[in-house]
Amino acid sequence: MAALAPALRTILVLLVAWQGAVFLFQPPRYILPSPLDVALAFQRQPGFLFGHSLTTMAEMALGFVLGSLFGALTALAIVALPRLGRLLWPILLVLQSFPVFVIAPLLVVWFGFGMGSKVIMATIIIFFPVASAFTDGLRRTDPELIDATALTTATHWQTLRYVRLPLAMPALLTGLRVAAPLAPLGAVIGEWVGASAGLGFVMVQANARMQTDTVFAAMTVLAVLSLVLRHLVDALGPRLLPWASEP
């Protein structure tokens, strides 16, 4: 709890400054609602926001798990099978260059307006930072360690498992930490393009009705979900790096 105190103080200062700016300049509510207006939006429709947040949370969780899994497996394949790596890596770089807003409408067309297209969108966004970070970690193993292992009877796969893989765990954790805030982005972009549920759907519908307080309420829930996911990734650190005092 003590570690959260500075962040909570910063958030409190920002909320007070926001409320003060609204009080002084009095912009129309459809342009900039006050924090109190956003709180009232929560009070008016708690069940509505909670139900849609469950949809987005499920899309985030599935996308994060699948993206992390595929990213880690791809990194292992690239390093374990160099020929395959030389073939896959340029393809991945080209795919990564496509803007997500270009891919999202295609996913909705191919997989429909349900949860599937949003999970795939989140998976794609999570995949690249995890695959890139983990591949880099596996490739940066100290050459002297590899040379020392070559003097033993260890096979290529044993070297990968017992030397390269443990030493690359910090890079994997870094990739997961970078990817965690991107999971909500993948889910919400898919919901913006086409959906019948989720926080992105709520934001699109509320924005069309100029209910800016509801848009801010949905954004607040999304920020909380993102912080929770990042906290879970940080809690995973000691399991991935049990030998490190500070993962």
Side-chain angles (χ1 to χ4, degrees):
M1 187 66 183
L4 293 177
L8 293 176
R9 285 197 295 267
T10 301
I11 292 173
L12 181 61
V13 170
L14 291 175
L15 289 176
V16 171
W18 178 7
Q19 184 68 46
V22 171
F23 177 78
L24 288 175
F25 300 105
Q26 297 185 352
R29 289 186 178 180
Y30 66 86
I31 293 180
L32 181 64
S34 69
L36 294 178
D37 294 328
V38 176
L40 290 175
F42 277 110
Q43 185 180 6
R44 287 196 309 268
Q45 43 195 353
F48 174 77
L49 290 171
F50 179 73
H52 285 284
S53 67
L54 290 180
T55 300
T56 301
M57 184 169 60
E59 295 165 355
M60 286 170 49
L62 288 172
F64 185 79
V65 171
L66 292 175
S68 301
L69 179 62
F70 289 144
L73 292 177
T74 300
L76 287 171
I78 288 173
V79 175
L81 304 170
R83 291 183 180 179
L84 178 63
R86 286 192 292 270
L87 175 66
L88 280 180
W89 196 245
I91 297 175
L92 295 177
L93 291 177
V94 171
L95 292 177
Q96 189 177 11
S97 66
F98 288 123
V100 292
F101 284 101
V102 173
I103 301 174
L106 294 175
L107 294 178
V108 172
V109 171
W110 292 339
F111 300 100
F113 287 86
M115 184 180 291
S117 58
K118 286 67 179 177
V119 172
I120 294 173
M121 187 74 226
T123 300
I124 292 173
I125 289 182
I126 295 298
F127 170 85
F128 289 111
V130 174
S132 299
F134 197 28
T135 299
D136 188 60
L138 290 168
R139 284 176 168 172
R140 289 182 178 273
T141 306
D142 191 342
E144 294 184 359
L145 288 176
I146 303 299
D147 293 339
T149 306
L151 298 176
T152 69
T153 58
T155 65
H156 171 71
W157 296 102
Q158 288 173 329
T159 302
L160 177 65
R161 178 180 178 183
Y162 295 109
V163 179
R164 287 192 168 190
L165 188 58
L167 293 175
M169 284 297 104
L172 175 60
L173 184 59
T174 298
L176 293 175
R177 283 172 169 162
V178 171
L182 300 178
L185 177 64
V188 170
I189 286 176
E191 292 170 355
W192 283 345
V193 173
S196 57
L199 294 174
F201 169 78
V202 170
M203 284 188 270
V204 170
Q205 297 296 316
N207 190 58
R209 297 180 175 89
M210 303 187 76
Q211 297 172 344
T212 314
D213 53 349
T214 302
V215 175
F216 273 84
M219 290 169 58
T220 302
V221 176
L222 195 64
V224 171
L225 293 179
S226 180
L227 291 174
V228 169
L229 183 57
R230 173 58 192 267
H231 177 73
L232 292 176
V233 171
D234 288 337
L236 184 65
R239 296 182 180 273
L240 290 177
L241 305 170
W243 60 86
S245 58
E246 290 185 10

